[in-house]
Amino acid sequence: MRKIVTVADDADLAHLVDLIDMLPGPDTRSFWGEGSNSIGSKVGHRLREILSGRGDSSDVDYLAIYVLKYLGRGNRHIPEDRITANLRGASGLPAAGHAWVEDATRTAFTLVTRYSLPVWNGAHRTRGSAWLQG
């Protein structure tokens, strides 16, 4: 059975959604791209599942991975200067864009490790067990 995850369940997820809300809306094609394979489409699909109360841990994980991949530091898809220029209320202030990228990257990585780590390690594996062998 799928375990539903909502923004009320996870403060980091709620914070990431708040950060995404600071960016242009999903209809801003010049920011998010166009088509069914656009960054906005990918982010939007997972966000809609989560915000409608149907999202599970895989939706949170994918949303966080998309933020890291497409909005995180050093990405080539939506670079930091475009985020800075489009950050609502910041009037192009570079420090705000840098802070947004840092905060979003840190929050997304926290979510990825929270929701992916059990899959990477296996559900029943003991933490650090590889270091105890030998």
Side-chain angles (χ1 to χ4, degrees), residues 15-16 19-20 23 64 67-68 71-73 83 97-111:
H15 182 65
L16 187 61
L19 289 171
I20 293 169
L23 299 174
V67 168
L68 288 171
L71 300 166
R73 172 170 257 176
I83 291 169
H98 300 313
W100 190 97
V101 170
E102 287 297 319
D103 195 0
T105 299
R106 188 177 323 107
T107 303
F109 190 70
T110 296
L111 291 168

Side-chain angles (χ1 to χ4, degrees), residues 51-105:
L51 296 174
S52 68
R54 296 186 308 260
D56 63 15
S57 60
S58 69
D59 291 304
V60 176
D61 184 45
Y62 274 104
L63 174 63
I65 288 170
Y66 293 151
V67 168
L68 288 171
K69 184 175 183 179
Y70 301 121
L71 300 166
R73 172 170 257 176
N75 83 83
R76 292 183 212 115
H77 303 282
I78 299 180
E80 196 168 324
D81 61 335
R82 190 176 343 156
I83 291 169
T84 299
N86 287 278
L87 198 58
R88 293 183 189 173
S91 303
L93 184 65
H98 300 313
W100 190 97
V101 170
E102 287 297 319
D103 195 0
T105 299

